[in-house]
Amino acid sequence: SMNHQSQIYDHIFFFTNGAIGDFLMTLLCADAVMGDMPESACTIFAPRNTQVLRELCSAYPRVRVQEMSWCGFVALVPLLIKNMGKRNMVVRQGVFKEDPCSIEVLARLLSMRAESSYVRFLQQQDSARLSEKGIVFDPNLLVYENLVRLVGVAGVDIPSSVPVYRFNAPEHVLERHALLPSSYIVVHPCAFSPARSLPPSRWVSIVNTMMENNPSLKIVITGSAYDNAFIQKILSPDFPKANVVNLAGELSMPELAWVVSNARGYVGVDTGVTHLAGVLCKQSVVIGNLSNPCWLPRYNENAVILTEPKNCTCDGKKGGDCFYYVGDEKYYKCLLDISDEVIVQAIQQMLAKNS
């Protein structure tokens, strides 16, 4: 289908949920969509996290992030007035959550002109209604592949492979933290939901073994400032700290991208920053789960994705009640059943491949 001319739009609008992984897929899709449209610009709406998201797209000058909330609707009036008469492509990608009706109103206002398109992921029952343009989300495909199919409905053809992420390399970040390129491994132990991480005691043993196996490498722990309480449980007072550097809450997104891209390898759970490593094509060991397989970073050919399905009851759409309860925390069975040995072995194989 490469020979027919793609539809041209003045402005591309995406509605996202504000999560980092979601945003990275949207950003790379938007950039690919604008590839053949030198005059077009893109606005990505997000309900939260906008400061972080703006940092993530700082190397994409044609993309801007706009906060979208119920109370902020009035603030969007100038944007509406400026863009209502243009040829717009509006993409609404809320998959699992119903979006508030303010989003629906905004999307329809932005796509009023005849040459505009409004496409979204449909529920099975919507797809019969002819007025709705879109596709039913296919959980057997990756999220990016679903986005490619969705913009295809609006007449824009882009390749189905995930493009490599661009960022502006910041100055002196490695020097500031006494790190040399390829002399450290990044470990990202926290996910937004604790169910997608391992208990701190497991991390203590994994990180200890990593240090024993690789005495010349530093371990750099990354996360948000909010993750620090969890990370402090790993770095207990008796923990040998000589080779461990905790950078949680210390790095902007471009700094984090630079630290990850200069590492010997990356180890992380199923969370947004693991997608940052993914879109940088980083050698990675992903300690995953099967709750929502379309989100695993299988697009990164340098990633080894670990899961253990033996006791798993996930339905592949975030349901199935596949949890073990440990203390007052719950964890995915298909994650907790991955043994330390399997994780450590995967890390050693990654480092051997990348030495």
Side-chain angles (χ1 to χ4, degrees):
S1 66
M2 291 321 283
N3 52 11
H4 85 264
Q5 175 59 41
S6 272
Q7 189 71 36
I8 300 287
Y9 294 101
D10 301 316
H11 207 113
I12 322 291
F13 293 93
F14 278 90
F15 290 91
T16 72
N17 65 14
I20 287 175
D22 198 68
F23 181 80
L24 282 169
M25 296 301 127
T26 302
L27 175 64
L28 295 173
C29 177
D31 192 57
V33 163
M34 292 192 294
D36 291 335
M37 308 180 199
E39 304 300 310
S40 66
C42 172
T43 299
I44 300 178
F45 292 105
R48 59 189 175 94
N49 244 359
T50 45
Q51 174 54 42
V52 165
L53 304 184
R54 286 185 183 118
E55 289 176 7
L56 275 173
C57 67
S58 52
Y60 295 80
R62 293 160 69 191
V63 176
R64 51 188 288 273
V65 175
Q66 173 73 52
E67 187 150 334
M68 164 84 206
S69 59
W70 271 110
C71 48
F73 201 70
V74 175
L76 301 176
V77 169
L79 177 138
L80 264 174
I81 291 168
K82 187 177 162 200
N83 291 294
M84 259 170 77
K86 292 184 178 168
R87 293 171 302 177
N88 297 324
M89 172 171 139
V90 181
V91 182
R92 194 175 126 192
Q93 63 189 83
V95 183
F96 295 103
K97 296 195 185 70
E98 245 331 286
D99 295 329
C101 63
S102 59
I103 293 182
E104 183 66 19
V105 170
L106 189 59
R108 292 199 182 268
L109 288 173
L110 287 169
S111 56
M112 278 171 68
R113 184 170 156 179
E115 299 94 320
S116 291
S117 284
Y118 170 33
V119 295
R120 64 188 187 92
F121 288 122
L122 306 171
Q123 307 302 331
Q124 213 74 46
Q125 65 271 16
D126 297 334
S127 49
R129 301 217 307 266
L130 290 174
S131 64
E132 301 290 343
K133 274 179 77 174
I135 55 164
V136 176
F137 188 90
D138 182 347
N140 300 309
L141 294 176
L142 295 177
V143 168
Y144 191 82
E145 293 164 344
N146 274 292
L147 282 174
V148 169
R149 289 171 58 234
L150 187 56
V151 300
V153 176
V156 179
D157 289 324
I158 58 172
S160 62
S161 55
V162 178
V164 178
Y165 172 67
R166 302 191 301 273
F167 65 98
N168 301 319
E171 295 285 309
H172 311 308
V173 181
L174 298 186
E175 298 87 331
R176 193 185 319 144
H177 300 288
L179 298 172
L180 293 167
S182 300
S183 71
Y184 61 92
I185 311 167
V186 170
V187 175
H188 192 87
C190 295
F192 189 66
S193 129
R196 288 187 276 135
S197 184
L198 293 166
S201 59
R202 293 276 311 267
W203 285 109
V204 170
S205 102
I206 292 164
V207 172
N208 258 321
T209 312
M210 284 170 72
M211 291 196 299
E212 283 162 23
N213 290 345
N214 310 284
S216 64
L217 292 178
K218 288 186 175 177
I219 309 280
V220 171
I221 299 185
T222 57
S224 65
Y226 175 81
D227 296 333
N228 245 320
F230 182 93
I231 291 166
Q232 291 311 324
K233 291 181 192 165
I234 304 172
L235 305 178
S236 56
D238 50 349
F239 197 80
K241 290 206 181 60
N243 273 2
V244 178
V245 183
N246 177 15
L247 296 186
E250 300 286 322
L251 302 172
S252 69
M253 282 294 152
E255 289 172 342
L256 180 58
W258 186 241
V259 167
V260 168
S261 59
N262 280 286
R264 264 285 289 284
Y266 172 92
V267 179
V269 294
D270 164 33
T271 192
V273 174
T274 298
H275 285 288
L276 181 61
V279 295
L280 292 167
C281 306
K282 195 67 204 169
Q283 293 277 354
S284 303
V285 171
V286 180
I287 304 169
N289 63 78
L290 296 166
S291 68
N292 203 6
C294 63
W295 268 114
L296 290 172
R298 296 193 301 253
Y299 54 83
N300 177 7
E301 55 195 33
N302 295 318
V304 171
I305 300 171
L306 304 176
T307 58
E308 178 44 79
K310 64 183 180 188
N311 299 314
C312 175
T313 57
C314 288
D315 65 4
K317 299 176 184 174
K318 291 189 175 177
D321 203 31
C322 176
F323 298 112
Y324 291 126
Y325 292 83
V326 180
D328 48 9
E329 232 21 290
K330 62 180 185 177
Y331 300 92
Y332 282 109
K333 294 178 179 176
C334 38
L335 165 89
L336 212 56
D337 282 339
I338 309 166
S339 69
D340 289 359
E341 294 71 35
V342 164
I343 294 169
V344 167
Q345 186 187 0
I347 293 168
Q348 290 314 115
Q349 284 170 346
M350 166 180 75
L351 296 172
K353 198 179 350 176
N354 199 16
S355 54

